[in-house]
Amino acid sequence: MDLVWLWIPATLAAAAAQTARNAMQRSLTQTIGTMGATQVRFLFGLPFAIVFLVLVGFATGERIPSPGPGFWGFALMGALTQIGATALMLAAMRARSFSVITAYVKTEPMQVAVFGLVFLGDPLTFALALAVLIGTGGVLAMSWRPGMLTEGGLQPILLGLAAVALFGLSAIGFRGAVLSLAEGSFLMRATTTLVVGLTMQSLVLGLYLALADRTALIASLKVWRSSAKAGFMGALASQCWFIGFALTSAANVRTLALVEVIMAQFVSRRIFSQNVTRQELAGMAAIVIAVTILLAFEPVGD
């Protein structure tokens, strides 16, 4: 199989790992707060990312690639916007159901397609546009509830939509960073970008919490077992996302990642005891159609 198609299993693995990590972080917000749970994916994920980099270097015999023009700017853009997006998403999840907020966040492919065209010159084909529209429609159908604009107030919706925009910019930033590395295989470039991004994020959030919310930082260290599990799943998800970004456009990756909404529905039912309705099943069907269009007609590779 052509290696370029590895973005498909990598994206599916990323979606599964991210669903697990989001559920873990959502649970942690109840004990260590939103910012404490936010930094868990970064601070506790960094050691695992370093292990990934060592293993990749050992397996391939490659050295860490040299940064090309724009690498640091793209990496910083991805790192900072991902911090903001994660904090906003977790804040929204405290007020609304896990699956509904996950659905909001998964309207991201629309922004990613536009951002990718503007910042990286990634093509926006008819097949991709159609898949994005159908998939986004399915996501909205799954999340819509009578009175949802007034139930619980507008704040969770606004937080979710703001998280969407930042997650979109984060995807573009990290893909730009991967592409800006001057040498190395897609696996080495993806893993190097992961370590750089998590290092930036750990430093920024660690400094912020040390100065502004030391209680949350100490609390996350006290529940280190739960934090380490969430950190590992976060690092694993990011590793797989970055592999996808190294092989195809961020819009392709994020559109296929809509399957995470279906995974979140399973988690909501099994863990948070939230039922799945016919409307949600119809939305899932639309997502499956969108993914089918993407895989059948959208070209892959850089």
Side-chain angles (χ1 to χ4, degrees):
M1 182 179 69
D2 192 334
L3 286 179
V4 73
W5 288 98
L6 283 177
W7 74 274
I8 296 174
T11 298
L12 295 176
Q18 182 159 292
T19 300
R21 187 212 67 213
N22 285 347
M24 293 175 184
Q25 283 185 290
R26 182 185 189 268
S27 298
L28 283 170
T29 59
Q30 306 302 318
T31 55
I32 62 177
T34 299
M35 290 308 297
T38 298
Q39 65 87 28
V40 161
R41 71 176 291 187
F42 307 123
L43 182 62
F44 286 85
L46 178 58
F48 294 108
I50 293 173
V51 170
F52 294 163
L53 183 59
V54 171
L55 291 176
V56 169
F58 179 79
T60 64
E62 295 180 270
R63 297 181 300 174
I64 296 176
S66 302
F71 172 80
W72 297 109
F74 276 122
L76 186 62
M77 170 184 168
L80 295 182
T81 52
Q82 192 176 58
I83 288 175
T86 302
L88 291 171
M89 179 190 69
L90 292 176
M93 282 181 176
R94 294 188 70 175
R96 286 308 252 306
S97 77
F98 175 80
S99 60
V100 169
I101 296 304
T102 298
Y104 286 160
V105 171
K106 287 303 152 184
T107 60
E108 175 194 357
M110 295 185 70
Q111 288 92 330
V112 171
V114 175
F115 292 154
L117 178 64
V118 172
F119 289 102
L120 302 176
D122 287 336
L124 180 57
T125 65
F126 176 77
L128 175 59
L130 183 61
V132 167
L133 290 175
I134 293 176
T136 301
V139 167
L140 294 176
M142 290 177 66
S143 60
W144 178 259
R145 302 286 187 280
M148 68 179 294
L149 295 179
T150 55
E151 179 186 347
L154 287 175
Q155 185 179 18
I157 296 175
L158 296 177
L159 290 173
L161 293 177
V164 169
L166 292 182
F167 272 127
L169 288 172
S170 175
I172 297 304
F174 284 130
R175 171 163 163 79
V178 170
L179 297 179
S180 296
L181 289 174
E183 56 194 11
S185 66
F186 71 90
L187 188 57
M188 176 57 76
R189 288 184 290 119
T191 312
T192 299
T193 301
L194 172 63
V195 171
V196 171
L198 285 177
T199 299
M200 290 178 172
Q201 291 163 327
S202 297
L203 290 174
V204 169
L205 261 182
L207 180 61
Y208 170 80
L209 290 175
L211 296 176
D213 196 354
R214 192 171 301 175
T215 301
L217 180 60
I218 294 174
S220 69
L221 297 176
K222 288 182 178 179
V223 291
W224 64 269
R225 288 185 177 86
S226 298
S227 297
K229 291 177 183 177
F232 170 74
M233 296 309 297
L236 179 61
S238 294
Q239 173 75 72
C240 294
W241 288 132
F242 290 8
I243 289 174
F245 294 155
L247 295 172
T248 190
S249 73
N252 284 348
V253 172
R254 291 310 202 198
T255 301
L256 178 58
L258 290 175
V259 297
E260 184 186 343
V261 179
I262 300 176
M263 297 176 185
Q265 287 289 345
F266 177 82
V267 171
S268 292
R269 184 165 185 167
R270 293 291 182 177
I271 299 178
F272 301 123
S273 301
Q274 297 164 349
N275 295 324
V276 179
T277 66
R278 292 181 179 178
Q279 177 181 323
E280 290 167 342
L281 290 174
M284 291 182 198
I287 291 173
V288 171
I289 292 172
V291 169
T292 301
I293 293 173
L294 177 73
L295 298 182
F297 301 107
E298 176 63 12
V300 297
D302 295 322

